[in-house]
Amino acid sequence: QVQLVESGGGSVQPGASLRLACVASGILNNYVTAWFRQAPAKEREFVARVDWNSGLPHYSDSANGRFTISRDKPMNTVYLYMDKLKAEDTAVYYCAAAGRFTMKAEDYDYWGQGTLVTVSS
């Protein structure tokens, strides 16, 4: 069993940076951990994922070049560093874990409660 708890959300202005953290309880070996986001009235969308064992990342087109996903094994924590934030990045950001390398939300077995990011001037 894996439990995920996100933190780090908040309200920022366009162009600002923010770092989200997701602390996991339970063993993440052989898991893929990811960040998804869901804006109001929109479906949940994939942002980035990282293989827990290798650290290999993968990004959505909207995140590529602005966001960085990483994991800290000793701290059992996954981070999402977001740079040059835009209004369209406003959403609830969720951390998730899956037993395979996937971008589909339905394939993820464990989810956090989410943390709200608001980008507004």
Side-chain angles (χ1 to χ4, degrees):
Q1 189 75 12
V2 175
Q3 292 184 324
L4 304 170
V5 179
E6 303 97 332
S7 63
S11 296
V12 296
Q13 292 187 339
S17 302
L18 206 58
R19 189 180 77 162
L20 307 181
C22 172
V23 179
S25 62
I27 298 173
L28 289 176
N29 288 343
N30 301 319
Y31 274 89
V32 171
T33 51
W35 289 93
F36 287 78
R37 67 185 183 186
Q38 188 165 17
K42 291 189 176 181
E43 293 190 354
R44 193 167 296 190
E45 66 168 340
F46 169 79
V47 176
R49 69 183 185 217
V50 63
D51 179 75
W52 188 258
N53 292 342
S54 69
L56 181 68
H58 181 78
Y59 299 94
S60 67
D61 289 342
S62 61
N64 197 27
R66 296 191 299 126
F67 295 3
T68 303
I69 189 171
S70 62
R71 92 284 188 242
D72 184 328
K73 279 189 167 183
M75 297 298 291
N76 234 31
T77 301
V78 180
Y79 298 100
L80 183 69
Y81 177 76
M82 304 183 292
D83 194 20
K84 300 175 183 177
L85 283 162
K86 306 174 183 179
E88 50 262 45
D89 295 317
T90 294
V92 176
Y93 284 71
Y94 297 91
C95 178
R100 54 176 167 156
F101 218 53
T102 175
M103 294 187 294
K104 297 179 179 179
E106 58 264 34
D107 292 337
Y108 282 77
D109 304 305
Y110 302 104
W111 291 86
Q113 82 290 347
T115 185
L116 177 63
V117 173
T118 303
V119 184
S120 174
S121 55

